[in-house]
Amino acid sequence: MNISLDLIEDKIEFFEADDLQTLEKKINEQIEHNKALLLHVHHVSHQMHVAENGKRFYSAVVHFKAKK
């Protein structure tokens, strides 16, 4: 049995929430998890959508990269 350990160099994760505070909390929790994998935040992109009924919807994409 061969075990191969490859280093994760790039990881992109998507997040969504009904309010900005929840979105930020989800992203911060994942940042802490990815620190164990030696990944740091390289780039964050976010959007807000307003539905016809006026409800706001927040989403974000976070690009993590390996620390060098």
Side-chain angles (χ1 to χ4, degrees):
M1 179 165 106
N2 291 336
I3 296 177
S4 174
L5 299 175
D6 293 331
L7 179 65
I8 299 173
E9 294 188 21
D10 284 295
K11 184 177 181 185
I12 297 174
E13 297 193 42
F14 300 88
F15 302 90
E16 57 187 29
D18 292 329
D19 60 74
L20 199 53
Q21 292 79 17
T22 303
L23 182 66
E24 184 177 7
K25 182 180 176 186
K26 287 180 179 183
I27 293 170
N28 285 333
E29 287 174 357
Q30 198 58 40
I31 288 171
E32 291 303 315
H33 293 300
N34 285 333
K35 282 183 181 179
L37 300 174
L38 300 177
L39 297 173
H40 71 280
V41 175
H42 177 69
H43 182 77
V44 177
S45 177
H46 59 88
Q47 290 186 331
M48 180 193 69
H49 173 74
V50 180
E52 290 179 10
N53 62 2
K55 185 174 180 181
R56 294 179 180 173
F57 181 76
Y58 299 88
S59 63
V61 177
V62 182
H63 181 192
F64 294 93
K65 287 195 115 187
K67 292 183 180 181
K68 296 189 179 194

Short mmCIF file of all heavy atoms in Angstrom, two decimals:
data_model
loop_
_atom_site.label_atom_id
_atom_site.label_comp_id
_atom_site.label_asym_id
_atom_site.label_seq_id
_atom_site.Cartn_x
_atom_site.Cartn_y
_atom_site.Cartn_z
N MET A 1 0.84 -1.18 0.00
CA MET A 1 0.00 0.00 0.00
C MET A 1 0.89 1.24 0.00
O MET A 1 1.75 1.40 0.85
CB MET A 1 -0.88 -0.01 1.25
CG MET A 1 -1.78 1.16 1.35
SD MET A 1 -3.07 0.91 2.58
CE MET A 1 -2.47 1.96 3.88
N ASN A 2 0.66 2.11 -0.97
CA ASN A 2 1.42 3.34 -1.08
C ASN A 2 0.58 4.51 -0.59
O ASN A 2 -0.57 4.67 -0.97
CB ASN A 2 1.82 3.62 -2.53
CG ASN A 2 2.84 2.63 -3.04
OD1 ASN A 2 3.58 2.05 -2.24
ND2 ASN A 2 2.89 2.45 -4.34
N ILE A 3 1.19 5.32 0.24
CA ILE A 3 0.53 6.53 0.73
C ILE A 3 1.28 7.72 0.16
O ILE A 3 2.50 7.83 0.33
CB ILE A 3 0.52 6.59 2.27
CG1 ILE A 3 -0.31 5.44 2.81
CG2 ILE A 3 -0.03 7.92 2.73
CD1 ILE A 3 -0.33 5.36 4.32
N SER A 4 0.56 8.56 -0.50
CA SER A 4 1.15 9.75 -1.11
C SER A 4 0.53 10.99 -0.49
O SER A 4 -0.69 11.14 -0.47
CB SER A 4 0.89 9.72 -2.62
OG SER A 4 1.34 10.91 -3.20
N LEU A 5 1.37 11.88 -0.02
CA LEU A 5 0.91 13.14 0.55
C LEU A 5 1.30 14.28 -0.38
O LEU A 5 2.47 14.55 -0.59
CB LEU A 5 1.52 13.36 1.93
CG LEU A 5 1.20 12.32 2.99
CD1 LEU A 5 1.97 12.61 4.26
CD2 LEU A 5 -0.28 12.27 3.26
N ASP A 6 0.31 14.91 -0.97
CA ASP A 6 0.55 16.04 -1.86
C ASP A 6 0.16 17.33 -1.15
O ASP A 6 -0.85 17.38 -0.45
CB ASP A 6 -0.27 15.91 -3.14
CG ASP A 6 0.18 14.74 -4.00
OD1 ASP A 6 1.37 14.39 -3.92
OD2 ASP A 6 -0.67 14.18 -4.70
N LEU A 7 0.95 18.34 -1.36
CA LEU A 7 0.69 19.65 -0.78
C LEU A 7 -0.40 20.36 -1.57
O LEU A 7 -0.35 20.41 -2.81
CB LEU A 7 1.96 20.49 -0.78
CG LEU A 7 1.87 21.90 -0.24
CD1 LEU A 7 1.53 21.86 1.25
CD2 LEU A 7 3.17 22.64 -0.45
N ILE A 8 -1.40 20.88 -0.89
CA ILE A 8 -2.44 21.67 -1.55
C ILE A 8 -1.86 23.07 -1.76
O ILE A 8 -1.47 23.74 -0.80
CB ILE A 8 -3.72 21.76 -0.69
CG1 ILE A 8 -4.31 20.37 -0.47
CG2 ILE A 8 -4.74 22.69 -1.34
CD1 ILE A 8 -5.48 20.36 0.49
N GLU A 9 -1.80 23.50 -3.02
CA GLU A 9 -1.22 24.81 -3.31
C GLU A 9 -2.27 25.89 -3.50
O GLU A 9 -2.04 27.04 -3.18
CB GLU A 9 -0.32 24.71 -4.53
CG GLU A 9 0.90 23.85 -4.28
CD GLU A 9 1.88 23.89 -5.41
OE1 GLU A 9 1.86 24.85 -6.20
OE2 GLU A 9 2.69 22.96 -5.49
N ASP A 10 -3.41 25.52 -4.04
CA ASP A 10 -4.51 26.46 -4.27
C ASP A 10 -5.82 25.81 -3.86
O ASP A 10 -6.02 24.62 -4.09
CB ASP A 10 -4.62 26.84 -5.75
CG ASP A 10 -3.55 27.80 -6.18
OD1 ASP A 10 -3.56 28.93 -5.68
OD2 ASP A 10 -2.72 27.41 -7.03
N LYS A 11 -6.69 26.62 -3.28
CA LYS A 11 -8.00 26.13 -2.88
C LYS A 11 -8.97 27.31 -3.00
O LYS A 11 -8.70 28.40 -2.48
CB LYS A 11 -7.94 25.63 -1.43
CG LYS A 11 -9.22 25.02 -0.92
CD LYS A 11 -8.99 24.50 0.50
CE LYS A 11 -10.22 23.86 1.06
NZ LYS A 11 -10.03 23.47 2.46
N ILE A 12 -10.09 27.08 -3.66
CA ILE A 12 -11.10 28.12 -3.82
C ILE A 12 -12.37 27.64 -3.14
O ILE A 12 -12.82 26.52 -3.38
CB ILE A 12 -11.36 28.43 -5.30
CG1 ILE A 12 -10.07 28.98 -5.92
CG2 ILE A 12 -12.50 29.42 -5.46
CD1 ILE A 12 -10.14 29.20 -7.40
N GLU A 13 -12.93 28.49 -2.29
CA GLU A 13 -14.14 28.13 -1.55
C GLU A 13 -15.21 29.21 -1.75
O GLU A 13 -14.90 30.38 -1.88
CB GLU A 13 -13.83 27.95 -0.07
CG GLU A 13 -12.87 26.81 0.16
CD GLU A 13 -12.78 26.41 1.61
OE1 GLU A 13 -13.82 26.35 2.27
OE2 GLU A 13 -11.65 26.17 2.07
N PHE A 14 -16.47 28.75 -1.76
CA PHE A 14 -17.61 29.63 -1.97
C PHE A 14 -18.45 29.68 -0.70
O PHE A 14 -18.65 28.66 -0.05
CB PHE A 14 -18.46 29.11 -3.14
CG PHE A 14 -17.70 29.04 -4.43
CD1 PHE A 14 -16.98 27.90 -4.75
CD2 PHE A 14 -17.69 30.10 -5.30
CE1 PHE A 14 -16.28 27.81 -5.94
CE2 PHE A 14 -16.99 30.04 -6.49
CZ PHE A 14 -16.28 28.89 -6.81
N PHE A 15 -18.94 30.86 -0.38
CA PHE A 15 -19.74 31.06 0.83
C PHE A 15 -20.99 31.87 0.47
O PHE A 15 -20.95 32.69 -0.43
CB PHE A 15 -18.93 31.83 1.89
CG PHE A 15 -17.66 31.16 2.27
CD1 PHE A 15 -16.49 31.42 1.59
CD2 PHE A 15 -17.63 30.25 3.32
CE1 PHE A 15 -15.30 30.80 1.95
CE2 PHE A 15 -16.45 29.62 3.68
CZ PHE A 15 -15.29 29.90 2.99
N GLU A 16 -22.08 31.64 1.24
CA GLU A 16 -23.29 32.42 1.06
C GLU A 16 -24.00 32.57 2.39
O GLU A 16 -23.87 31.71 3.27
CB GLU A 16 -24.22 31.78 0.01
CG GLU A 16 -24.61 30.37 0.34
CD GLU A 16 -25.39 29.72 -0.79
OE1 GLU A 16 -25.18 30.08 -1.97
OE2 GLU A 16 -26.21 28.86 -0.49
N ALA A 17 -24.73 33.68 2.53
CA ALA A 17 -25.45 33.94 3.78
C ALA A 17 -26.52 35.00 3.53
O ALA A 17 -26.49 35.72 2.53
CB ALA A 17 -24.48 34.41 4.86
N ASP A 18 -27.44 35.09 4.50
CA ASP A 18 -28.51 36.08 4.42
C ASP A 18 -28.12 37.43 4.97
O ASP A 18 -28.82 38.43 4.75
CB ASP A 18 -29.75 35.58 5.15
CG ASP A 18 -30.39 34.38 4.45
OD1 ASP A 18 -30.30 34.30 3.21
OD2 ASP A 18 -30.97 33.54 5.14
N ASP A 19 -27.01 37.48 5.73
CA ASP A 19 -26.54 38.77 6.23
C ASP A 19 -25.01 38.79 6.24
O ASP A 19 -24.36 37.76 6.21
CB ASP A 19 -27.11 39.07 7.62
CG ASP A 19 -26.72 38.04 8.65
OD1 ASP A 19 -25.56 38.02 9.07
OD2 ASP A 19 -27.61 37.23 9.02
N LEU A 20 -24.47 39.99 6.26
CA LEU A 20 -23.03 40.17 6.15
C LEU A 20 -22.27 39.60 7.34
O LEU A 20 -21.19 39.03 7.18
CB LEU A 20 -22.73 41.66 5.97
CG LEU A 20 -21.38 42.03 5.40
CD1 LEU A 20 -21.11 41.31 4.09
CD2 LEU A 20 -21.30 43.52 5.20
N GLN A 21 -22.83 39.70 8.54
CA GLN A 21 -22.15 39.18 9.73
C GLN A 21 -22.00 37.66 9.67
O GLN A 21 -20.95 37.13 10.03
CB GLN A 21 -22.92 39.58 11.00
CG GLN A 21 -22.90 41.06 11.31
CD GLN A 21 -23.88 41.86 10.46
OE1 GLN A 21 -24.80 41.30 9.86
NE2 GLN A 21 -23.66 43.17 10.39
N THR A 22 -23.03 36.97 9.20
CA THR A 22 -22.96 35.52 9.08
C THR A 22 -21.94 35.11 8.02
O THR A 22 -21.18 34.16 8.21
CB THR A 22 -24.34 34.93 8.73
OG1 THR A 22 -25.28 35.35 9.73
CG2 THR A 22 -24.31 33.43 8.66
N LEU A 23 -21.92 35.83 6.92
CA LEU A 23 -20.95 35.55 5.86
C LEU A 23 -19.53 35.71 6.38
O LEU A 23 -18.67 34.86 6.16
CB LEU A 23 -21.19 36.47 4.66
CG LEU A 23 -20.28 36.25 3.46
CD1 LEU A 23 -20.53 34.89 2.83
CD2 LEU A 23 -20.49 37.35 2.43
N GLU A 24 -19.29 36.79 7.10
CA GLU A 24 -17.96 37.04 7.65
C GLU A 24 -17.57 35.95 8.65
O GLU A 24 -16.43 35.48 8.65
CB GLU A 24 -17.93 38.41 8.33
CG GLU A 24 -16.57 38.79 8.85
CD GLU A 24 -16.54 40.18 9.47
OE1 GLU A 24 -17.60 40.80 9.62
OE2 GLU A 24 -15.43 40.63 9.81
N LYS A 25 -18.51 35.51 9.47
CA LYS A 25 -18.24 34.45 10.44
C LYS A 25 -17.86 33.14 9.74
O LYS A 25 -16.90 32.48 10.13
CB LYS A 25 -19.47 34.23 11.32
CG LYS A 25 -19.28 33.19 12.39
CD LYS A 25 -20.52 33.03 13.22
CE LYS A 25 -20.34 31.89 14.23
NZ LYS A 25 -21.56 31.60 14.96
N LYS A 26 -18.60 32.79 8.68
CA LYS A 26 -18.30 31.56 7.93
C LYS A 26 -16.91 31.62 7.32
O LYS A 26 -16.16 30.65 7.36
CB LYS A 26 -19.34 31.36 6.81
CG LYS A 26 -20.69 30.93 7.30
CD LYS A 26 -21.64 30.76 6.11
CE LYS A 26 -23.00 30.30 6.53
NZ LYS A 26 -23.90 30.07 5.37
N ILE A 27 -16.56 32.77 6.74
CA ILE A 27 -15.24 32.92 6.12
C ILE A 27 -14.14 32.83 7.17
O ILE A 27 -13.14 32.14 6.98
CB ILE A 27 -15.16 34.24 5.33
CG1 ILE A 27 -16.10 34.18 4.13
CG2 ILE A 27 -13.73 34.52 4.88
CD1 ILE A 27 -16.28 35.50 3.41
N ASN A 28 -14.31 33.51 8.29
CA ASN A 28 -13.30 33.49 9.35
C ASN A 28 -13.10 32.09 9.92
O ASN A 28 -11.96 31.70 10.22
CB ASN A 28 -13.65 34.47 10.46
CG ASN A 28 -13.39 35.90 10.06
OD1 ASN A 28 -12.53 36.18 9.23
ND2 ASN A 28 -14.15 36.82 10.63
N GLU A 29 -14.18 31.32 10.07
CA GLU A 29 -14.05 29.95 10.55
C GLU A 29 -13.23 29.10 9.57
O GLU A 29 -12.37 28.33 9.98
CB GLU A 29 -15.42 29.32 10.75
CG GLU A 29 -16.16 29.84 11.96
CD GLU A 29 -17.59 29.31 12.06
OE1 GLU A 29 -18.04 28.57 11.15
OE2 GLU A 29 -18.26 29.65 13.04
N GLN A 30 -13.48 29.29 8.28
CA GLN A 30 -12.75 28.50 7.29
C GLN A 30 -11.30 28.94 7.19
O GLN A 30 -10.41 28.11 6.95
CB GLN A 30 -13.43 28.59 5.92
CG GLN A 30 -13.00 27.50 4.98
CD GLN A 30 -13.27 26.11 5.53
OE1 GLN A 30 -14.29 25.85 6.15
NE2 GLN A 30 -12.34 25.20 5.30
N ILE A 31 -11.02 30.21 7.41
CA ILE A 31 -9.63 30.68 7.44
C ILE A 31 -8.87 29.95 8.53
O ILE A 31 -7.73 29.50 8.32
CB ILE A 31 -9.57 32.21 7.64
CG1 ILE A 31 -10.04 32.93 6.37
CG2 ILE A 31 -8.16 32.66 8.03
CD1 ILE A 31 -10.22 34.43 6.54
N GLU A 32 -9.47 29.80 9.70
CA GLU A 32 -8.82 29.10 10.81
C GLU A 32 -8.57 27.63 10.46
O GLU A 32 -7.52 27.08 10.76
CB GLU A 32 -9.65 29.22 12.08
CG GLU A 32 -9.67 30.62 12.66
CD GLU A 32 -8.28 31.16 12.97
OE1 GLU A 32 -7.46 30.43 13.56
OE2 GLU A 32 -8.02 32.32 12.61
N HIS A 33 -9.55 26.98 9.80
CA HIS A 33 -9.37 25.58 9.39
C HIS A 33 -8.24 25.44 8.38
O HIS A 33 -7.44 24.50 8.45
CB HIS A 33 -10.66 25.02 8.78
CG HIS A 33 -11.78 24.88 9.75
ND1 HIS A 33 -11.71 24.08 10.88
CD2 HIS A 33 -13.01 25.44 9.76
CE1 HIS A 33 -12.86 24.16 11.53
NE2 HIS A 33 -13.66 25.00 10.88
N ASN A 34 -8.16 26.38 7.45
CA ASN A 34 -7.15 26.29 6.40
C ASN A 34 -5.76 26.65 6.88
O ASN A 34 -4.77 26.28 6.24
CB ASN A 34 -7.56 27.16 5.20
CG ASN A 34 -8.67 26.53 4.40
OD1 ASN A 34 -8.82 25.31 4.38
ND2 ASN A 34 -9.45 27.35 3.73
N LYS A 35 -5.65 27.33 8.01
CA LYS A 35 -4.33 27.58 8.58
C LYS A 35 -3.64 26.28 8.93
O LYS A 35 -2.42 26.16 8.82
CB LYS A 35 -4.44 28.46 9.83
CG LYS A 35 -4.64 29.92 9.53
CD LYS A 35 -4.66 30.73 10.82
CE LYS A 35 -4.88 32.19 10.54
NZ LYS A 35 -4.93 32.98 11.79
N ALA A 36 -4.42 25.27 9.33
CA ALA A 36 -3.85 23.96 9.65
C ALA A 36 -3.27 23.29 8.40
O ALA A 36 -2.37 22.46 8.49
CB ALA A 36 -4.91 23.06 10.28
N LEU A 37 -3.79 23.67 7.23
CA LEU A 37 -3.29 23.14 5.96
C LEU A 37 -2.20 24.04 5.37
O LEU A 37 -1.78 23.85 4.23
CB LEU A 37 -4.43 23.02 4.95
CG LEU A 37 -5.58 22.09 5.35
CD1 LEU A 37 -6.71 22.20 4.33
CD2 LEU A 37 -5.10 20.67 5.48
N LEU A 38 -1.76 25.03 6.15
CA LEU A 38 -0.75 26.00 5.75
C LEU A 38 -1.19 26.83 4.53
O LEU A 38 -0.41 27.16 3.67
CB LEU A 38 0.59 25.31 5.47
CG LEU A 38 1.19 24.54 6.65
CD1 LEU A 38 2.46 23.85 6.23
CD2 LEU A 38 1.44 25.47 7.83
N LEU A 39 -2.48 27.16 4.52
CA LEU A 39 -3.02 28.01 3.46
C LEU A 39 -3.37 29.38 4.02
O LEU A 39 -3.83 29.48 5.15
CB LEU A 39 -4.29 27.38 2.86
CG LEU A 39 -4.12 26.03 2.17
CD1 LEU A 39 -5.48 25.46 1.80
CD2 LEU A 39 -3.24 26.15 0.94
N HIS A 40 -3.14 30.41 3.24
CA HIS A 40 -3.53 31.75 3.65
C HIS A 40 -4.42 32.37 2.56
O HIS A 40 -4.47 31.88 1.43
CB HIS A 40 -2.30 32.63 3.91
CG HIS A 40 -1.55 33.01 2.67
ND1 HIS A 40 -0.67 32.16 2.04
CD2 HIS A 40 -1.59 34.14 1.93
CE1 HIS A 40 -0.17 32.76 0.97
NE2 HIS A 40 -0.71 33.96 0.88
N VAL A 41 -5.11 33.43 2.90
CA VAL A 41 -6.02 34.08 1.96
C VAL A 41 -5.20 34.86 0.94
O VAL A 41 -4.37 35.69 1.29
CB VAL A 41 -7.00 35.03 2.70
CG1 VAL A 41 -7.85 35.79 1.70
CG2 VAL A 41 -7.85 34.25 3.67
N HIS A 42 -5.47 34.56 -0.31
CA HIS A 42 -4.80 35.26 -1.42
C HIS A 42 -5.71 36.36 -1.98
O HIS A 42 -5.24 37.45 -2.28
CB HIS A 42 -4.42 34.26 -2.51
CG HIS A 42 -3.79 34.89 -3.71
ND1 HIS A 42 -2.54 35.45 -3.66
CD2 HIS A 42 -4.24 35.05 -4.97
CE1 HIS A 42 -2.24 35.93 -4.86
NE2 HIS A 42 -3.26 35.70 -5.67
N HIS A 43 -7.01 36.04 -2.10
CA HIS A 43 -7.94 37.01 -2.69
C HIS A 43 -9.36 36.70 -2.23
O HIS A 43 -9.73 35.54 -2.06
CB HIS A 43 -7.87 36.91 -4.22
CG HIS A 43 -8.75 37.90 -4.92
ND1 HIS A 43 -8.43 39.22 -5.06
CD2 HIS A 43 -9.95 37.76 -5.50
CE1 HIS A 43 -9.39 39.84 -5.70
NE2 HIS A 43 -10.34 38.97 -5.98
N VAL A 44 -10.14 37.76 -2.03
CA VAL A 44 -11.55 37.62 -1.67
C VAL A 44 -12.38 38.46 -2.63
O VAL A 44 -12.05 39.61 -2.92
CB VAL A 44 -11.82 38.11 -0.22
CG1 VAL A 44 -13.30 38.03 0.11
CG2 VAL A 44 -11.01 37.31 0.77
N SER A 45 -13.46 37.86 -3.13
CA SER A 45 -14.40 38.57 -3.98
C SER A 45 -15.79 38.36 -3.40
O SER A 45 -16.13 37.25 -2.99
CB SER A 45 -14.33 38.02 -5.40
OG SER A 45 -15.29 38.64 -6.22
N HIS A 46 -16.59 39.42 -3.34
CA HIS A 46 -17.91 39.27 -2.75
C HIS A 46 -18.96 40.04 -3.55
O HIS A 46 -18.63 40.97 -4.30
CB HIS A 46 -17.92 39.73 -1.29
CG HIS A 46 -17.51 41.16 -1.13
ND1 HIS A 46 -18.40 42.19 -1.19
CD2 HIS A 46 -16.30 41.71 -0.92
CE1 HIS A 46 -17.76 43.33 -1.02
NE2 HIS A 46 -16.48 43.07 -0.86
N GLN A 47 -20.20 39.62 -3.40
CA GLN A 47 -21.32 40.28 -4.07
C GLN A 47 -22.53 40.32 -3.15
O GLN A 47 -22.65 39.49 -2.25
CB GLN A 47 -21.71 39.53 -5.34
CG GLN A 47 -20.70 39.61 -6.44
CD GLN A 47 -21.22 38.96 -7.71
OE1 GLN A 47 -22.02 38.04 -7.66
NE2 GLN A 47 -20.76 39.45 -8.84
N MET A 48 -23.40 41.29 -3.43
CA MET A 48 -24.67 41.36 -2.73
C MET A 48 -25.77 41.43 -3.80
O MET A 48 -25.64 42.17 -4.78
CB MET A 48 -24.75 42.60 -1.85
CG MET A 48 -26.09 42.70 -1.12
SD MET A 48 -26.40 44.30 -0.36
CE MET A 48 -26.62 45.35 -1.77
N HIS A 49 -26.80 40.65 -3.60
CA HIS A 49 -27.93 40.64 -4.52
C HIS A 49 -29.18 41.04 -3.75
O HIS A 49 -29.40 40.56 -2.64
CB HIS A 49 -28.11 39.25 -5.13
CG HIS A 49 -29.35 39.11 -5.95
ND1 HIS A 49 -29.46 39.67 -7.21
CD2 HIS A 49 -30.53 38.51 -5.71
CE1 HIS A 49 -30.66 39.40 -7.69
NE2 HIS A 49 -31.33 38.69 -6.79
N VAL A 50 -29.98 41.90 -4.31
CA VAL A 50 -31.25 42.29 -3.70
C VAL A 50 -32.38 41.66 -4.53
O VAL A 50 -32.51 41.93 -5.72
CB VAL A 50 -31.41 43.82 -3.65
CG1 VAL A 50 -32.74 44.19 -3.01
CG2 VAL A 50 -30.26 44.46 -2.89
N ALA A 51 -33.16 40.80 -3.89
CA ALA A 51 -34.28 40.14 -4.56
C ALA A 51 -35.42 41.12 -4.79
O ALA A 51 -35.42 42.23 -4.24
CB ALA A 51 -34.75 38.95 -3.72
N GLU A 52 -36.38 40.71 -5.57
CA GLU A 52 -37.52 41.58 -5.88
C GLU A 52 -38.30 41.98 -4.63
O GLU A 52 -38.89 43.05 -4.58
CB GLU A 52 -38.45 40.87 -6.86
CG GLU A 52 -37.86 40.74 -8.25
CD GLU A 52 -38.79 40.02 -9.19
OE1 GLU A 52 -39.97 39.78 -8.85
OE2 GLU A 52 -38.33 39.70 -10.30
N ASN A 53 -38.28 41.12 -3.61
CA ASN A 53 -39.00 41.44 -2.38
C ASN A 53 -38.16 42.31 -1.43
O ASN A 53 -38.57 42.60 -0.32
CB ASN A 53 -39.43 40.16 -1.67
CG ASN A 53 -38.26 39.29 -1.25
OD1 ASN A 53 -37.10 39.64 -1.44
ND2 ASN A 53 -38.57 38.14 -0.68
N GLY A 54 -36.96 42.70 -1.86
CA GLY A 54 -36.11 43.57 -1.05
C GLY A 54 -35.14 42.83 -0.16
O GLY A 54 -34.32 43.47 0.52
N LYS A 55 -35.20 41.52 -0.12
CA LYS A 55 -34.30 40.73 0.73
C LYS A 55 -32.90 40.70 0.12
O LYS A 55 -32.74 40.51 -1.09
CB LYS A 55 -34.83 39.31 0.88
CG LYS A 55 -34.02 38.48 1.83
CD LYS A 55 -34.65 37.13 2.06
CE LYS A 55 -33.78 36.34 3.03
NZ LYS A 55 -34.30 35.03 3.28
N ARG A 56 -31.91 40.88 0.96
CA ARG A 56 -30.52 40.88 0.51
C ARG A 56 -29.91 39.49 0.67
O ARG A 56 -30.23 38.76 1.60
CB ARG A 56 -29.70 41.88 1.31
CG ARG A 56 -30.12 43.29 1.06
CD ARG A 56 -29.32 44.25 1.87
NE ARG A 56 -29.76 45.61 1.59
CZ ARG A 56 -29.34 46.67 2.24
NH1 ARG A 56 -28.48 46.54 3.22
NH2 ARG A 56 -29.79 47.85 1.92
N PHE A 57 -29.03 39.16 -0.26
CA PHE A 57 -28.34 37.88 -0.26
C PHE A 57 -26.87 38.15 -0.54
O PHE A 57 -26.53 38.84 -1.50
CB PHE A 57 -28.95 36.98 -1.35
CG PHE A 57 -28.32 35.63 -1.42
CD1 PHE A 57 -28.62 34.66 -0.49
CD2 PHE A 57 -27.43 35.32 -2.43
CE1 PHE A 57 -28.04 33.41 -0.55
CE2 PHE A 57 -26.85 34.08 -2.50
CZ PHE A 57 -27.17 33.12 -1.56
N TYR A 58 -26.00 37.63 0.32
CA TYR A 58 -24.56 37.88 0.23
C TYR A 58 -23.83 36.60 -0.17
O TYR A 58 -24.17 35.52 0.31
CB TYR A 58 -24.02 38.37 1.57
CG TYR A 58 -24.64 39.67 2.03
CD1 TYR A 58 -25.82 39.68 2.78
CD2 TYR A 58 -24.06 40.88 1.69
CE1 TYR A 58 -26.39 40.87 3.19
CE2 TYR A 58 -24.63 42.08 2.10
CZ TYR A 58 -25.79 42.07 2.85
OH TYR A 58 -26.36 43.24 3.24
N SER A 59 -22.82 36.75 -1.02
CA SER A 59 -21.99 35.61 -1.40
C SER A 59 -20.54 36.08 -1.51
O SER A 59 -20.27 37.27 -1.72
CB SER A 59 -22.46 35.00 -2.71
OG SER A 59 -22.34 35.93 -3.76
N ALA A 60 -19.64 35.12 -1.37
CA ALA A 60 -18.21 35.44 -1.47
C ALA A 60 -17.45 34.23 -2.00
O ALA A 60 -17.85 33.09 -1.81
CB ALA A 60 -17.65 35.83 -0.10
N VAL A 61 -16.34 34.54 -2.67
CA VAL A 61 -15.40 33.53 -3.15
C VAL A 61 -14.06 33.88 -2.51
O VAL A 61 -13.61 35.02 -2.58
CB VAL A 61 -15.27 33.55 -4.68
CG1 VAL A 61 -14.24 32.54 -5.14
CG2 VAL A 61 -16.61 33.30 -5.33
N VAL A 62 -13.45 32.89 -1.86
CA VAL A 62 -12.15 33.11 -1.22
C VAL A 62 -11.14 32.18 -1.85
O VAL A 62 -11.35 30.97 -1.93
CB VAL A 62 -12.22 32.86 0.30
CG1 VAL A 62 -10.87 33.14 0.95
CG2 VAL A 62 -13.30 33.72 0.94
N HIS A 63 -10.03 32.76 -2.32
CA HIS A 63 -8.95 32.00 -2.92
C HIS A 63 -7.83 31.87 -1.87
O HIS A 63 -7.29 32.86 -1.43
CB HIS A 63 -8.43 32.72 -4.17
CG HIS A 63 -7.31 32.00 -4.87
ND1 HIS A 63 -6.57 32.60 -5.83
CD2 HIS A 63 -6.83 30.74 -4.75
CE1 HIS A 63 -5.67 31.76 -6.28
NE2 HIS A 63 -5.81 30.63 -5.62
N PHE A 64 -7.56 30.63 -1.49
CA PHE A 64 -6.49 30.35 -0.55
C PHE A 64 -5.28 29.83 -1.30
O PHE A 64 -5.41 29.10 -2.28
CB PHE A 64 -6.93 29.26 0.46
CG PHE A 64 -8.04 29.68 1.37
CD1 PHE A 64 -9.35 29.42 1.05
CD2 PHE A 64 -7.76 30.32 2.56
CE1 PHE A 64 -10.39 29.79 1.89
CE2 PHE A 64 -8.79 30.71 3.42
CZ PHE A 64 -10.09 30.44 3.08
N LYS A 65 -4.09 30.23 -0.86
CA LYS A 65 -2.83 29.76 -1.47
C LYS A 65 -1.91 29.24 -0.38
O LYS A 65 -1.99 29.67 0.77
CB LYS A 65 -2.13 30.90 -2.22
CG LYS A 65 -2.82 31.26 -3.52
CD LYS A 65 -1.91 32.09 -4.36
CE LYS A 65 -1.65 31.25 -5.56
NZ LYS A 65 -0.72 31.69 -6.48
N ALA A 66 -1.02 28.36 -0.78
CA ALA A 66 -0.05 27.79 0.15
C ALA A 66 0.96 28.85 0.59
O ALA A 66 1.37 29.69 -0.22
CB ALA A 66 0.68 26.62 -0.49
N LYS A 67 1.34 28.79 1.85
CA LYS A 67 2.38 29.69 2.36
C LYS A 67 3.72 29.18 1.85
O LYS A 67 3.99 28.01 1.83
CB LYS A 67 2.39 29.69 3.89
CG LYS A 67 1.18 30.33 4.49
CD LYS A 67 1.29 30.36 5.99
CE LYS A 67 0.06 31.01 6.61
NZ LYS A 67 0.15 31.07 8.06
N LYS A 68 4.54 30.13 1.43
CA LYS A 68 5.87 29.74 0.91
C LYS A 68 6.96 30.41 1.68
O LYS A 68 6.85 31.36 2.31
CB LYS A 68 5.97 30.07 -0.56
CG LYS A 68 4.99 29.26 -1.37
CD LYS A 68 5.23 29.40 -2.83
CE LYS A 68 4.22 28.52 -3.55
NZ LYS A 68 4.49 28.31 -4.91
#
